[in-house]
Amino acid sequence: MKINVVKGTRDLGPKETARFQEIIDKLDSISYFYCFTEVTLPIIEHAQLYKRSVGETSDIVRKEMYAFEDKGKRLLVLRPEFTASIVRTFVNNKIHALIDLPFKVHYHGPIFRYERPQAGRYRQFYQYGVESIGVNSPLIDAEVITYGYAALSFIGIENVILKINTLGDDDSRNKYREIISEYFQKHIHKMCHDCNERLQTNPLRILDCKIPSDQEIIKKAPKIHDYLSLASRERFNEVTKLLDQSDIPFEIDQTLVRGLDYYSEIVFEYHYYSDEGKTLGALGAGGHYSHLVKELGGPDLPGVGLSFGVDRLVEVLKEIEEDDNEEDYNSFVLFYLIPVGDVKIEDVYDVLMELRKQGGYSYDMYHEKKPLKTLIQKAKKRDARFLIFIGEDELKNNTLTIKNMKTEEQMVVNRQDAKQVIRSLFFSSMREG
Ligand code: HAM
């Protein structure tokens, strides 16, 4: 019986896996330049962590968590995001007392959300992100936004549209929530089911609705910037000034409210549109969180961070580079060993192990006896650059016969010299291309 992959999840072949790895390597080097250090956290967490952070009224907690009871009757979830876990580790390990703040980390790994799968939206996807916790400065907000912009450019994604907004401090947001609830009360009978629900749970999220008829109503809604406290307005102006000074282009989007409840002050998203105007949704997003550390039992310290959706980065890069989607499931090999004549396959296996011990390059063979012609075909299918023939003579004289598949040149090499010869063959093959 054939068993399908779970809906919303994907198998990544070798080529796709290499693309992910390449992006992660590049993001790692940007993280290094910005002095973020790497942490690795569990994939399963207590459900309570997200109720207290992402929020009971968020879509993630209400509808999207992969939650289950373990054998010890604990209610656990496959993590639906990273930020809460990072703050949890900050609090649990009392990091504020151990280091000179800010606590600057980067992380990557799989994330799980029970969403409706579509292009660029999966139920298991991969995030890479950074958080800076412990110092309350608009300079750090600007630095994290700049990190994201620089990272996208470094991996090869230009023409990014950076959308930013501020949700203000508690007073500004509470006042605005009242004003906007009052406004939407008057129109809600004409609006979609989700908007009706959000009016009860989290009215600000109505601004996120993408339904065209609702958009008309949303456009005319009161704007958050008219209800900001002086401190929040100044903070937002300071961040935008810093972005201007760093030549980071941005758009202020007053409908950007984000779907996770822990944000206050600045929030932002990075978007990319194809030439035909198509988008996969945000490539990455983040914002400032004033109370999350305290909410999770720690000191009253703020944080700011962002996470990229690596699956979306891969998709966009494939489009930019016009890469075909064809997978190559062959495993790469540089030197392919072939038994010749009546030699025992075990003797060739011994040579294979000896060569591998020397390290440096990839060696392989076929582990069953086959005719010479078949073995050469197999080596060609693997795109092997060199064949190493081992027959009676080679075993008796302690030699290897090596053939360059590109130039067709063949040479006999003493086994004790093999390491050096193979090294020079590798470099000459690099020059040959
Ligand atoms: P988020 O906006 O929920 O924020 O997710 C961040 C990114 O993950 C999105 O911009 C998108 O690229 C990607 N993403 C989200 N859902 C999916 C999906 N179903 N399939 C593929 N990719 C997806 C957060 O998770 C916050 N923790 C970001 C943050 C960090 N805020 C502060 N620090």
Side-chain angles (χ1 to χ4, degrees), residues 74-213:
R74 301 170 190 92
L75 186 57
L76 304 180
V77 275
L78 302 182
R79 68 177 166 219
E81 65 112 46
F82 267 106
T83 311
S85 305
I86 299 289
V87 173
R88 180 192 52 65
T89 198
F90 179 81
V91 171
N92 290 0
N93 295 298
K94 297 194 171 57
I95 289 174
H96 62 281
L98 299 179
I99 65 158
D100 191 31
L101 296 173
F103 175 51
K104 293 182 71 175
V105 287
H106 70 93
Y107 51 80
H108 59 89
I111 294 291
F112 303 84
R113 291 184 193 171
Y114 193 81
E115 290 194 82
R116 200 154 48 81
Q118 52 184 269
R121 188 190 287 167
Y122 307 101
R123 289 183 176 171
Q124 177 179 335
F125 59 99
Y126 210 90
Q127 278 191 349
Y128 187 109
V130 297
E131 310 291 334
S132 177
I133 300 176
V135 175
N136 191 14
S137 164
L139 272 76
I140 296 191
D141 295 348
E143 188 180 35
V144 167
I145 299 174
T146 305
Y147 162 94
Y149 199 81
L152 289 169
S153 164
F154 187 62
I155 64 175
I157 304 179
E158 305 283 354
N159 303 325
V160 167
I161 295 177
L162 166 61
K163 296 185 182 180
I164 65 172
N165 191 22
T166 177
L167 301 176
D169 52 22
D170 296 349
D171 285 349
S172 320
R173 213 164 44 263
N174 288 341
K175 192 156 80 186
Y176 182 59
R177 192 177 290 119
E178 264 175 44
I179 300 281
I180 207 159
S181 296
E182 228 171 83
Y183 169 80
F184 283 123
Q185 284 289 358
K186 292 187 214 131
H187 302 276
I188 202 69
H189 60 282
K190 295 174 266 177
M191 301 184 82
C192 73
H193 173 75
D194 278 356
C195 287
N196 272 267
E197 239 181 50
R198 283 172 177 168
L199 184 60
Q200 304 310 320
T201 55
N202 187 352
L204 256 70
R205 289 273 286 141
I206 296 179
L207 299 174
D208 245 3
C209 179
K210 302 284 177 287
I211 293 179
S213 54

Side-chain angles (χ1 to χ4, degrees), residues 184-405:
F184 283 123
Q185 284 289 358
K186 292 187 214 131
H187 302 276
I188 202 69
H189 60 282
K190 295 174 266 177
M191 301 184 82
C192 73
H193 173 75
D194 278 356
C195 287
N196 272 267
E197 239 181 50
R198 283 172 177 168
L199 184 60
Q200 304 310 320
T201 55
N202 187 352
L204 256 70
R205 289 273 286 141
I206 296 179
L207 299 174
D208 245 3
C209 179
K210 302 284 177 287
I211 293 179
S213 54
D214 291 351
Q215 281 281 313
E216 288 309 305
I217 299 167
I218 290 166
K219 259 190 227 153
K220 294 184 192 135
K223 304 285 181 283
I224 180 127
H225 287 227
D226 296 332
Y227 298 91
L228 291 176
S229 66
L230 184 62
S232 287
R233 190 191 315 278
E234 280 177 0
R235 185 178 182 110
F236 184 68
N237 289 344
E238 178 66 14
V239 176
T240 54
K241 192 179 92 195
L242 291 165
L243 293 177
D244 276 334
Q245 282 169 8
S246 303
D247 287 328
I248 309 279
F250 59 85
E251 284 177 8
I252 297 173
D253 179 351
Q254 293 205 48
T255 66
L256 181 66
V257 286
R258 310 275 302 124
L260 303 97
D261 289 356
Y262 49 65
Y263 294 117
S264 48
E265 309 291 355
I266 195 102
V267 287
F268 51 91
E269 288 184 351
Y270 305 89
H271 288 261
Y272 175 85
Y273 295 90
S274 69
D275 291 344
E276 298 86 48
K278 279 198 218 136
T279 174
L280 295 171
L283 297 181
H288 179 96
Y289 37 92
S290 300
H291 306 304
L292 186 53
V293 179
K294 193 158 179 224
E295 194 58 43
L296 293 177
D300 193 4
L301 291 171
V304 56
L306 71 84
S307 308
F308 287 118
V310 180
D311 306 70
R312 293 185 186 174
L313 300 180
V314 168
E315 287 302 316
V316 167
L317 276 173
K318 277 200 295 200
E319 188 185 301
I320 292 172
E321 290 164 9
E322 293 179 1
D323 194 351
D324 61 23
N325 279 326
E326 233 176 83
E327 260 307 338
D328 181 359
Y329 285 93
N330 280 308
S331 61
F332 175 76
V333 57
L334 198 57
F335 294 92
Y336 197 88
L337 279 67
I338 296 185
V340 181
D342 288 335
V343 293
K344 284 201 283 187
I345 193 165
E346 290 79 6
D347 289 338
V348 178
Y349 180 81
D350 281 347
V351 180
L352 173 69
M353 290 302 132
E354 179 185 304
L355 290 169
R356 280 194 183 149
K357 255 193 219 148
Q358 293 177 3
Y361 310 103
S362 63
Y363 302 94
D364 216 346
M365 65 181 283
Y366 194 69
H367 298 71
E368 283 176 10
K369 194 122 181 95
K370 292 279 173 203
L372 183 66
K373 218 170 122 189
T374 311
L375 291 173
I376 293 175
Q377 280 311 319
K378 285 183 178 296
K380 283 185 178 160
K381 272 198 195 144
R382 296 277 302 276
D383 222 6
R385 186 60 190 266
F386 297 95
L387 304 187
I388 300 184
F389 293 108
I390 298 163
E392 299 284 356
D393 284 352
E394 280 84 1
L395 286 179
K396 196 169 74 208
N397 303 328
N398 218 13
T399 57
L400 303 170
T401 300
I402 306 181
K403 178 173 179 179
N404 182 331
M405 293 296 276

